[in-house]
Amino acid sequence: MNLKSCNNVETNKYELVLEVAPEEFAQAINEVYKRESKRMNVPGFRKGKAPRAFIEKFYGEEVFFQAAVDHLYTPMMDAAIEASGLEVIGVNAYSIEEIAKATGVVAKITVTVQPEIHIAGYQGIEVVKEPTEPTAAEVDAEVDRIRQRNSRVVTVEDRAAENGDIVVIDFDGYTDGKQFDGGKAENFDLTLGSGQFIPGFEEQVAGHNAGDEFDVNVTFPEDYHAEELKGKEAVFKIKLHEIKHRELPEVDDEFAKDVSEFDTMEEYRKDLENTVRQRKERAAESSTEQQIIKAVIDKVEGEIPDMMVEREIDEIINSFDMQLRDQGMNLENYLKYTQGTVDGLREQYKERAGQQVKVRLGLAKIAELEKLEVTEEETEAEFQKLADAYDMPLENVKAVVRAKDIAKDVANQKAMDFVKEHAVYTEKQPEDKPQEA
């Protein structure tokens, strides 16, 4: 096989013309004949026993041409791409221009190549660094969350319902004097002040005592999800069965002993400070990375092939489908329940996919410009991480993941680390700390 020509026909696209010599074409025809002739009938011969010359005479000289070209497709593609020296990401079109026993095959292949990316200004990116030191208010909030988890619900008998109470009610809703669907329930637990019901409902329940029966008058919002109820006035007949209150434990040494391994609240607060600090450090690292990713995306210059974006959308949707399957659903059922379409989902993910492609190309270009090499040991370590993460033998991972792809991922991570190291950081002032004049 011989690459006859390689021409840039438009941005990120090349046209390759490849010649297959008559001898190679004849060999492919012979291989196909051995396979295909077993199913062919020729008068005067038992099925599958006719010589090639008789088959070609009976069916025509070109009888094996298409099958031979199909047989040659993969080696033709591989040979053309290797000879071109291009970094091909996909084939757009393929056609046979000439075909004959005497002259062989001339094929034309249009391919999309890795885009030429330009990026500058990636050193000195300005990043606002989130504070990681816990504030007293954040530690207090952590304590409150733990108190909520260790609270107990008690029945209130000596007062009316208040904001924050849990009331057990029956309700029956009417519009224009008629019951409406979804407007009735019995022994329903409602936390007053939660905003779970439409505006005005919970406020009218507050102030009533257990055993009271009363009406609640409300108006459904204009943007209510049920079309037939938008903007309509409604009356709910209420029976209040029980009022409950969440009783929180006192914050003292006994509380610390009950919920932790510490004997004093002072020790426990220090441990909670460390918990909050670690959480804030993770959040700060994520924020830093997101700011850098956005900056890299903004600095990437170059025309991104649609093919790359479409493939990224494929990956996102496949990943989403796997997540759904882990939850006992699949993409088909999800779209049915949400009344969505695959095309709609693809459109929804298009911007995200384009950004992911851009940042990957940008980081790859930075790795190239900064000569960030990936060693064999680093690639091997990444293979081992994958094997450990999926609990698979190392050889199995290597059979399905290319070392080249692993090396690209490592190089991109090195580029990200490089940009982080050379960023300009500004500390963000904690919200509860007054700004200096």
Side-chain angles (χ1 to χ4, degrees), residues 171-184 197-201 204 214-221 224 228-238:
F171 61 85
D172 192 4
Y174 295 80
T175 57
D176 300 326
K178 297 179 180 179
Q179 287 182 321
F180 58 88
D181 290 340
K184 183 176 182 177
F197 276 31
I198 58 177
F201 187 101
Q204 294 179 58
F214 52 94
D215 290 349
V216 165
N217 297 281
V218 293
T219 301
F220 282 96
Y224 195 67
E228 68 277 8
L229 296 176
K230 288 182 177 179
K232 300 214 54 167
E233 294 182 353
V235 177
F236 285 88
K237 297 188 177 300
I238 310 294

Side-chain angles (χ1 to χ4, degrees), residues 6-24:
C6 176
N7 297 309
N8 185 199
V9 290
E10 60 180 277
T11 305
N12 302 322
K13 283 188 180 178
Y14 280 77
E15 184 182 87
L16 313 179
V17 177
L18 183 71
E19 296 176 321
V20 178
E23 301 80 27
E24 292 176 280

Side-chain angles (χ1 to χ4, degrees), residues 26-139:
Q27 184 178 351
I29 291 174
N30 199 47
E31 291 293 326
V32 168
Y33 157 72
K34 292 176 184 176
R35 184 182 70 235
E36 300 291 329
S37 63
K38 296 175 183 177
R39 300 192 296 270
M40 304 180 83
N41 289 313
V42 176
F45 296 91
R46 284 182 296 162
K47 185 177 180 180
K49 296 299 183 180
R52 176 177 152 186
F54 281 89
I55 293 174
E56 290 177 338
K57 184 176 181 180
F58 185 76
Y59 287 101
E61 184 183 46
E62 301 85 5
V63 62
F64 296 118
F65 279 16
Q66 186 58 54
V69 168
D70 293 343
H71 181 75
L72 288 168
Y73 178 83
T74 299
M76 276 197 300
M77 287 294 174
D78 293 344
I81 291 170
E82 184 178 357
S84 71
L86 300 172
E87 191 171 355
V88 174
I89 60 174
V91 177
N92 298 87
Y94 162 73
S95 62
I96 300 300
E97 301 299 299
E98 298 175 23
I99 185 167
K101 285 185 178 181
T103 58
V105 179
V106 176
K108 184 184 289 184
I109 307 164
T110 305
V111 296
T112 295
V113 299
Q114 193 80 1
E116 183 59 39
I117 293 300
H118 302 280
I119 188 168
Y122 54 83
Q123 293 194 45
I125 289 174
E126 294 184 359
V127 175
V128 178
K129 193 171 183 180
E130 297 287 336
T132 58
E133 194 59 29
T135 65
E138 288 168 336
V139 177

